[in-house]
Amino acid sequence: MSLLLKNVLVLDANSPSHNKKANILIEKGIISSLNAKSGSKELDFSNLTITPGWFDLNSNFNDPGNEHKEDVESGSHAASAGGFTDVCIIPDTSPPIESKADVNYLKRKAIDAVDLHVIASVSEGNKGENLTEILDLYHAGASAFSSGDQPIWNSELLMKALQYTESIGTPILQNSRDINISANSHMHEGLVSTGLGLRAEPSISEELSIQRDIEILRYTGGSIHFSKISSGKSVKMIREAKKQGLHVTCDVGIFNLIFTDNSIGVFDTNFKNLPPYRTEQDRKALIKGVIDGTIDAICSNHRPQDSESKQLEFDLADPGSIALQTFYSSLLKIKDQVPFELLIEKVVNGPRKVLNIDPISIDKGQNAKLTILDPTKKWIFNSVTNQSKSRNSPFWEKELEGYVHGTINKGKLVIH
């Protein structure tokens, strides 16, 4: 059976139909035409926009170990509802993702709507002391290696990991943070933290870690990806490392492009994040990094937390927010600061480039991996619309603009 998507606006700079209305015919999961006249099943998408399928570099589905917060199925449904056809899941689980059996467990639980890319732990028990069996994990299907939300603090282990992964072409994903400086901190250190009386993390915690890792990379070779950068100086250092020809990439969490330390207000724990939201100056530097290409991708930094972890005093609450399902609405909040076409590139082929995955586009002969958007529809993010098991969102019970109408992956259309 063929599927015809009629009168849909294509947003894909790599497509011959970019910024044009197209009639996209899909047969056996492949785009066979952009100007077809008929299909077995026809849908009129006159008011909708279509892009290549979105790819998230950084989500935690808490599976195994904390499935009451999220599991592979609920996380995947939230991702699909957010426009994502591909998601990287980090190894911060209980136990961590550190064996071939762990990788296979997650692959088996994947649903058709979303392709899962497993980020395996770079160290045994995610403790930063001994390397995991990197080559075995790679051949089992691991896409990259990381310590998830924990920094790779052990310099020797990072050196060995970079040397091992250079031969297989996978990056080391680093969450840059000096654990001694950032210990027991709850937000960015500055005027706001002083006024609130909260122990805080200065941006130098991130910047020192990045500086160290760039020098290690210069010595060892390999490829390093800095996950969820938050500081303006971090952007500057990574920009310079790229100019020097080092194999460095980075991403930023979507909320760090929107919020600052001022957003916390009266101790709203939904704004407690890792990394913390920093100053407006940092936020603007991150925006500039997206525009000039220093920042390769924008990730969700999706971190589900149950009410027992969030409905607490600010200094006792766990950090993180769910962000997959509201991602499109979040992107629209910064479209006046960054061309929307570029924002789409940062969630389509930017992430794929980081992981050395072939780029995709809306063109004849390409796999039909697609995200379908309704740019004007308004909706409320609440217990009725939410697909996640958790509700820790700064947008909870708020009206949002921009709705993901559906996705297509593996020949299957999912309408939300």
Side-chain angles (χ1 to χ4, degrees), residues 68-69 269 305-312 316-319:
H68 61 288
K69 297 182 180 182
T269 61
Q305 299 286 1
D306 60 5
S307 58
E308 293 181 357
S309 303
K310 274 294 185 182
Q311 294 180 10
L312 300 165
L316 298 177
D318 288 336

Side-chain angles (χ1 to χ4, degrees), residues 85-145:
T85 58
D86 296 77
V87 175
C88 285
I89 46 179
I90 63 171
D92 294 47
T93 52
S94 184
I97 307 304
E98 60 180 356
S99 70
K100 292 188 289 186
D102 297 332
V103 174
N104 291 331
Y105 165 81
L106 292 172
K107 294 281 189 180
R108 286 196 306 270
K109 293 191 73 173
I111 66 173
D112 286 340
V114 178
D115 291 330
L116 296 184
H117 303 262
V118 180
I119 307 300
S121 180
V122 72
S123 64
E124 294 177 356
N126 229 17
K127 296 178 180 179
E129 296 171 353
N130 301 302
L131 282 177
T132 52
E133 297 291 340
I134 285 177
L135 294 180
D136 283 351
L137 286 163
Y138 170 73
H139 291 299
S143 297
F145 300 88

